[in-house]
Amino acid sequence: NHQEVLKLHKQGLGARRIAQELSIKHYVSVSKILRKKSGLKHNCFPISTKITSFKRKKNDVGLRLAAEKFALFYFTLLGYRTYTPDANAPHDMLVELDGKIQKVQVKTSTHAKPSGYFTFSLKRTRTNASGLRRKSYVKEECDWFFLMDMNQNAWFIPFEELAENITPAQRFPGYLIVENGRILEDII
């Protein structure tokens, strides 16, 4: 029985799966066998010896969450104070620049144009009883936009410079702060 447990474990199966395969009532028995053979006193052995590579697909939601975290990381790394506002605020974060609190809205784009450039929609979406509403930002709601595309390029652009839909790689190369995930410089 011990040999069968070890054989299945070498194939990459964990204790629960081995217990199922060998019709062992409790997987803890399998854990004890594996611990004993490994010389460990606790459950510190690898669950699986088989290494599996996972292909994850980049998606809108993942990029949106990562971009907000990256923006916080970027400003904190450069020594700026950052704050996260209430969930209902029209901006995603606050950054203290030159002693003034600035409202920053993080926007992402996952779909490139045929030219290869990404276009960003600078509108916010709100839900009400009649469905989704898209509304443009106004100066009182946002001072800066932190824009990040699926290729991990990011721009930090003042509100006054932007329209409702933009392609920053073409129009704002001087505001590029991250290229392919690599921080270029502190342009602020």
Side-chain angles (χ1 to χ4, degrees):
N1 201 357
H2 291 292
Q3 296 303 326
E4 292 174 28
V5 167
L6 294 173
K7 181 180 171 188
L8 290 173
H9 188 257
K10 283 183 181 178
Q11 292 176 5
L13 299 179
R16 288 178 196 244
R17 180 74 179 159
I18 293 169
Q20 286 177 339
E21 291 287 321
L22 299 177
S23 301
I24 299 172
K25 191 173 185 178
H26 298 290
Y27 76 91
V28 175
S29 303
V30 174
S31 295
K32 287 180 182 177
I33 293 168
L34 294 171
R35 272 198 318 266
K36 186 176 181 185
K37 292 293 179 182
S38 67
L40 299 173
K41 297 184 183 207
H42 303 287
N43 280 340
C44 297
F45 57 88
I47 293 172
S48 172
T49 55
K50 187 176 186 179
I51 298 174
T52 308
S53 79
F54 293 97
K55 268 281 204 210
R56 296 208 183 264
K57 183 182 175 193
K58 295 178 184 178
N59 60 43
D60 297 350
V61 175
L63 179 62
R64 196 171 316 125
L65 295 171
E68 287 183 22
K69 304 289 188 238
F70 190 88
L72 286 167
F73 164 77
Y74 174 80
F75 292 111
T76 304
L77 180 69
L78 295 177
Y80 298 101
R81 287 191 177 156
T82 59
Y83 308 91
T84 306
D86 294 336
N88 295 328
H91 45 273
D92 292 319
M93 60 188 294
L94 300 168
V95 179
E96 189 175 328
L97 301 172
D98 297 325
K100 291 174 62 179
I101 300 294
Q102 301 286 310
K103 297 170 283 225
V104 178
Q105 179 60 43
V106 178
K107 289 293 183 183
T108 58
S109 180
T110 56
H111 305 289
K113 295 168 103 178
S115 64
Y117 294 115
F118 289 84
T119 299
F120 294 79
S121 172
L122 302 180
K123 292 186 175 188
R124 60 184 204 184
T125 305
R126 293 288 180 234
T127 313
N128 60 20
S130 61
L132 293 176
R133 266 184 334 135
R134 298 196 42 85
K135 181 181 169 191
S136 297
Y137 288 92
V138 294
K139 176 64 179 147
E140 293 75 33
E141 297 173 324
C142 176
D143 299 310
W144 294 82
F145 283 97
F146 185 96
L147 309 175
M148 182 170 257
D149 67 24
M150 189 58 96
N151 292 337
Q152 300 173 12
N153 297 310
W155 296 263
F156 189 56
I157 306 174
F159 177 87
E160 299 83 23
E161 299 279 334
L162 301 176
E164 289 184 2
N165 292 305
I166 66 151
T167 307
Q170 290 176 316
R171 291 185 45 214
F172 299 100
Y175 290 100
L176 184 68
I177 56 174
V178 178
E179 187 171 32
N180 298 320
R182 186 177 57 87
I183 295 174
L184 298 178
E185 61 183 86
D186 178 6
I187 65 160
I188 304 165

